[in-house]
Amino acid sequence: MPVREPRAKSVDRSASVLALLLLGLVVVAVRVVWLQTLAAPAYAGLAQDQRLRDIELSPKRGDIYDREGQPLAVTSEAKTIYANPHFVEDPAGAAEAIAGALGGDPAQYEAKLTKDAGFVYLGRKVDAGRAAALKDLKLAGVGFMDDFRRTYPSGELACQVLGFVGVDDAGLTGLEKEHDALLAGQPGRLLAERDPAGRPIPGGVQVSEEPVEGSDIVLTIDKDIQYLAQVELAAAVERWGAKSGSVVVMDPRNGEILAMASVPGFDPNAFGKADPKDYRNRPVTDAFEPGSTMKVFTAAAAFSHGLSEPSRPYALPPTIKVGGRVIKESHPRGAVTWTASEILANSSNVGSVMMGQALGKDRLYDSFLGFGFAQSTGVDMPGESIGYIPPPRRWSASSIANIPFGQGVSVTTLQLARAMSVIANGGELVTPHVLLEVPDDPEAVPARPRQRVLEPDVCAQVGEGLRLAVTDGTGQTAAVPGYEVAGKTGTAQKPRADGKGYKGGGYIASFAGYLPARDPRFVIVVTVDDPRGAIYGGVVAAPVFREVAAFSVAHMKVPPASRPSTETSAPAAAAAP
């Protein structure tokens, strides 16, 4: 009889295959169900990420203008250039072409074009003309995006005041940083479906939120006065071999800063090539011992408290000893009798010490604070130093001998200009500022606080001595033909870095003054750091004041004095300028 066992084995084998097929179908079915249900959102998101490009659209940054509408910082159209290395057909050839259009090293471009990446920057904020020349070459894998470029048409003009922006259009220094919220605007957004080469897919998703342009701002700066101040200051720094210098020109009536100059400067169009130390806006950031310019405020305090007056005579010995310290004049002299005005005019250390002693440390300290020293001026610029006036509890026995004439304290050039404005405007402490107007948003300009700290008659009394300083005293080189000038020289030793005593041969030469003396329109303060060959404020700084002042009154069409000074001039003595 035939054997049937092999047929049974065949049936079993077929059943096994069928079972495996059914199992496979079940697995596939489960996989399909999983992909179409549980995993569908994740894979859909992955596919969307591959197609969609979410691009931030840069807003146009607001421009900056001087008070006459002259552009100081502007934004122009530019391009950001990128590449998808996977679609670049000839990296070496493309690199040569890119370098020819944009400049730069072909090897650096080739290194980017051969990266295992889908996106690399070839250039950001590229000049529109250069970008157009490259676009005409129609290089595969190279793309272009609209962008903006910040430029400074006048180069170094007001460079520390303006500051600069980084590659992402954020303000990094100066007004660009201080008023970034106004200037920057709001970025937009573009959400678009793109193919692997970065080209828009016709009919694909397109979502666009337009950027909001930044606000233009108008400054109190006068471009012409700023230029002249920088030129004259740079010439003085070079002539005297100085390290640096500062000038502030301010309207004492309202605190508007017409010019603020620092030397050395830099070109904000190429700030990366400059020494970062030159970014500092020195009138705001650098504090120094003022020396004899502080005698103005010592005298003002004495007059205000009824302890002195311009015509009061002082019998001045050649030297005076206080707390074990002997105070001398800058140049030796014999015993003299000078009025309070003559003490200012001749810059007498001894006379200022006597006024300080009459005031006492508490009243002198409070008076200096009243002039705005050792505190913020409120200026709308970053990085301000507040200087230092030691509180009375920290004064030594000899402090009342050196603080009245500006030793052992520190101030900034801007603080000195603000304090001198009190004398010039009849007694009000104003807030220095550089933001004049926001045309699109008038409410963006804050209120500028001011407060009375002296009576007008006291300011007039101090002014007598300051006019005498220019006509017959240590500030004669500050005189401007046809105008009455009031001012004070300063020559201060520089303290050692360790705070122990003073550097041999290190000085700050300064001049602080205003004009026209009887109806002041300009307060001008000049400081020159570490001059060589001459050290006195009357020699180094006052001539800069003269040139800046003469230009300012002519430029602003301020008429000459209607009547000359009628004060009797006292003979000048050799004293601390």
Side-chain angles (χ1 to χ4, degrees), residues 179-238:
H179 295 305
D180 191 62
L182 284 172
L183 294 164
Q186 296 294 326
R189 182 186 181 205
L190 176 62
L191 187 66
E193 285 189 291
R194 306 266 174 161
D195 67 15
R199 297 176 297 234
I201 298 175
V205 176
Q206 294 280 348
V207 177
S208 178
E209 296 177 6
E210 292 298 320
V212 178
E213 292 186 358
S215 298
D216 296 340
I217 64 174
V218 180
L219 306 185
T220 60
I221 297 293
D222 183 286
K223 185 177 180 180
D224 297 314
I225 297 177
Q226 178 73 33
Y227 174 78
L228 195 281
Q230 288 186 208
V231 168
E232 292 297 332
L233 180 62
V237 168
E238 181 178 4

Side-chain angles (χ1 to χ4, degrees), residues 237-264:
V237 168
E238 181 178 4
R239 178 182 180 186
W240 300 110
K243 290 182 178 178
S244 62
S246 300
V247 171
V248 170
V249 182
M250 193 168 88
D251 188 333
R253 301 170 300 176
N254 51 31
E256 292 180 3
I257 296 172
L258 303 172
M260 182 177 281
S262 300
V263 171

Side-chain angles (χ1 to χ4, degrees), residues 433-471:
H433 58 280
V434 289
L435 179 63
L436 180 63
E437 182 184 1
V438 182
D440 295 335
D441 187 6
E443 294 184 359
V445 179
R448 311 293 184 186
R450 56 195 300 149
Q451 64 183 74
R452 176 160 296 282
V453 295
L454 281 183
E455 293 304 317
D457 62 327
V458 173
C459 297
Q461 291 173 351
V462 177
E464 290 183 31
L466 298 182
R467 290 195 299 275
L468 192 62
V470 176
T471 57

Side-chain angles (χ1 to χ4, degrees), residues 334-406:
V336 296
T337 298
W338 281 341
T339 65
S341 287
E342 290 168 343
I343 286 173
L344 275 179
N346 294 309
S347 197
S348 170
N349 292 339
V350 173
S352 294
V353 170
M354 294 173 71
M355 289 187 192
Q357 287 178 314
L359 283 161
K361 61 183 181 180
D362 290 320
R363 285 190 293 197
L364 184 60
Y365 174 77
D366 289 341
S367 295
F368 282 174
L369 293 187
F371 281 106
F373 296 116
Q375 55 196 284
S376 171
T377 64
V379 69
D380 48 348
M381 300 207 71
E384 183 179 20
S385 170
I386 64 170
Y388 180 68
I389 307 288
R393 67 180 183 276
R394 295 185 179 176
W395 289 27
S396 67
S398 63
S399 291
I400 196 65
N402 58 271
I403 288 178
F405 62 86

Side-chain angles (χ1 to χ4, degrees), residues 92-164:
E96 289 287 348
I98 294 167
L102 305 184
D105 185 358
Q108 293 182 356
Y109 290 118
E110 186 174 359
K112 292 182 178 182
L113 296 176
T114 54
K115 280 187 174 181
D116 184 14
F119 183 94
V120 292
Y121 281 114
L122 299 177
R124 302 187 69 180
K125 304 189 181 301
V126 175
D127 175 77
R130 289 178 176 268
L134 179 60
K135 192 172 185 178
D136 288 343
L137 299 179
K138 298 180 179 179
L139 299 175
V142 176
F144 301 81
M145 290 190 297
D146 291 335
D147 205 343
F148 296 101
R149 184 181 184 187
R150 193 68 158 174
T151 56
Y152 303 87
S154 298
E156 290 193 17
L157 188 79
C159 52
Q160 293 96 347
V161 174
L162 296 171
F164 50 83

